[in-house]
Amino acid sequence: MSVLRKNIAFLFVSQIATWMISIVILIMEPRRLGAEGFGTVQFVMSYLGFFVLVGGLGTYAHMVKSIAKDPSVLSATVVSALRFKLVLGLVLSVSALAIGAALGYTAEVLTMIAVGCVGLVLSLLTEMVIGGLAGLERIAHTAVWTTVQVYVASIGTIVVLLTSRSLVALVAVSSFAWLVPLIANFRHLRPLLSGFRTRHPGAWVALIRGGVPVFMLTALSLVYQTIDVPILEGISGAEAVGWYTLALRWIGMPIFITTIVVTAFLPQMSALAHREPEAFAGLTNRALSFVLVVNIPAALGLFMVAPDLIDLLYGTAFEESIPLMRLLVPWVPLAAINTVLATALIAADRHKRFIWVAAAAAVFNPLLAARAIRYTQDRYDNGAVGAAVVTVVTEVFIAFCAVVMRPPGILDRSTLGYIGRCLLAAVAMVPPILLVGDGGIVVKVVVGAIVYALTSLALRTVSTAELHNLLDKVRRRGGGSQQDDNTSSDTVSTDTPVDAELDTMTERGGER
């Protein structure tokens, strides 16, 4: 199995495991805290997210690209980055508290911010360690420890929810859980590093200079993606934030496949972008196919079962989240496309023009959001409706610009045809789900999944040969076979002319 496929497999299993426990938390937290308490926690997390973003400075992507192209720079890059992020994290922590106090936040919120700053510093250091390993395509190990971190934080969260329900304690367990991947991944990376006492003049400047373009893109993206939360809190209150963030959390569940794909593909994208542009375009098209074959049906399925889901898990307290989930459905595939295309632009060093697109979105999004939230608050007594509409409109604008700026060969006719077939297969789920009516959410999900699977086979978005290979592999492993299986682990067939080249290319990448 190539390194790329191994990394995707580990990331997929890791994400499924974290997804399962995250759903448990997502069910318990709103119910135990109520809309206001849940909204307060989400507000603090959003506030700290801006400081985490500044601390990121785009260094992760810069590290991965640099190390993937030249592994000899590993030690100098990682050691310098760790020192830099420790200093930066402390400065940002002081700034977060000072700004919060200046804005007049309550003592409880300021305490939550202070505790969250511990997680801020630890997360910045962890990101640098993982970045060093990712540049070497050693992602499988990091995926395992990320899963452990999520479970440690989740178990702590469950204990707090069942006992004190302290908002401060909830932030604390999430913050200190970052120690798990930091220590475990550093122990894995440490034997590959040297020169901890060696100073590298100009290293901090190089990190900042290399990361600033990615940071600007990420920062502006975070602005237009999250600025609506504090605006909504200011206009409509914490309860509306609770409705909105709950809808976002559920509707964003399918995005996990996008995170997996771009994390696994970025190192090889960076190595191939200038050396083999045709293989780079083919790899990006494969990434788009991976994410959309999952995100399109998942988004439409959530639209169909939203009332059943909210009523079953939360009752009438969060019924206002139902229209929000349905309004946000187009955001799912659009965000997946934008993430893959932005990653391709970064890997190909063509993302500087895209910064202007993000800047435009960061300007008009909060302006539109403020007007839309006020309008829908007055008309529907739910300002979150306006926030949801503006979120989708912004993503449409970003997608249009990303498609226009994409490198040559990406989103070719074959890939567009594949995406169209995925959409048809997803639409085919709608009539059977409507026919089962009041059968309940489980029946609707099962019926929708079966119809999508059969339609996908008929439209050749998934091939029977690949399913047989996958089932055969599962049977052999389930029987205790230790033989390494070199058959393809991909369960998606794009039916493009470059597939054979991609298989050869990924195998070459696994031997680099």
Side-chain angles (χ1 to χ4, degrees), residues 169-470:
L170 288 175
V171 177
V173 296
S174 297
S175 295
F176 286 98
W178 280 103
L179 285 169
V180 174
L182 174 59
I183 295 171
N185 288 315
F186 183 76
R187 290 182 63 184
H188 187 61
L189 181 64
R190 180 65 183 88
L192 306 175
L193 301 178
S194 60
F196 262 94
R197 296 183 180 180
T198 304
R199 296 192 175 276
H200 304 280
W204 288 17
V205 174
L207 285 170
I208 295 173
R209 185 178 299 166
V212 160
V214 178
F215 163 70
M216 292 179 64
L217 178 59
T218 308
L220 292 168
S221 299
L222 185 67
V223 169
Y224 71 72
Q225 290 169 0
T226 62
I227 193 66
D228 52 355
V229 172
I231 294 174
L232 180 61
E233 198 275 341
I235 296 175
S236 301
E239 188 175 34
V241 172
W243 298 333
Y244 181 57
T245 52
L246 182 71
L248 275 174
R249 292 276 293 276
W250 275 110
I251 207 69
M253 282 289 181
I255 296 296
F256 79 91
I257 191 66
T258 307
T259 304
I260 291 171
V261 169
V262 297
T263 301
F265 278 47
L266 177 59
Q268 286 196 21
M269 281 183 172
S270 302
L272 292 169
H274 300 291
R275 190 178 68 209
E276 300 181 53
E278 290 186 4
F280 166 74
L283 186 63
T284 306
N285 286 329
R286 173 66 64 87
L288 286 166
S289 301
F290 267 126
V291 300
L292 291 175
V293 77
V294 175
N295 281 286
I296 290 175
L300 188 56
L302 283 168
F303 179 92
M304 300 297 294
V305 303
D308 305 89
L309 179 69
I310 298 299
D311 181 63
L312 175 66
L313 299 179
Y314 309 106
T316 58
F318 284 89
E319 64 182 358
E320 298 290 347
S321 295
I322 296 172
L324 302 179
M325 287 180 65
R326 289 180 158 175
L327 286 170
L328 287 166
V329 160
W331 171 81
V332 178
L334 289 171
I337 292 171
N338 293 344
T339 301
V340 174
L341 293 182
T343 301
L345 290 170
I346 291 171
D349 295 317
R350 300 181 56 161
H351 56 286
K352 293 184 179 179
R353 284 195 308 155
F354 197 59
I355 293 173
W356 291 104
V357 177
V363 171
F364 79 71
N365 177 276
L367 296 177
L368 288 178
R371 292 179 64 88
I373 289 170
R374 290 187 184 279
Y375 176 79
T376 54
Q377 178 64 33
D378 294 338
R379 187 174 180 84
Y380 305 110
D381 198 29
N382 186 354
V385 171
V389 171
V390 173
T391 293
V392 173
V393 170
T394 304
E395 211 66 43
V396 170
F397 168 73
I398 296 293
F400 173 80
C401 296
V403 169
V404 171
M405 295 181 179
R406 72 192 189 279
I410 295 175
L411 275 177
D412 57 7
R413 181 178 299 178
S414 180
T415 305
L416 289 174
Y418 176 82
I419 295 172
R421 298 200 304 274
C422 288
L423 185 59
L424 285 175
V427 172
M429 300 187 305
V430 175
I433 292 176
L434 292 176
L435 284 175
V436 298
D438 298 328
I441 186 171
V442 175
V443 174
K444 290 181 180 179
V445 170
V446 171
V447 169
I450 292 173
V451 171
Y452 181 70
L454 294 175
T455 310
S456 295
L457 289 172
L459 294 175
R460 296 179 62 203
T461 56
V462 176
S463 73
T464 54
E466 287 166 336
L467 288 177
H468 283 310
N469 285 338
L470 180 63

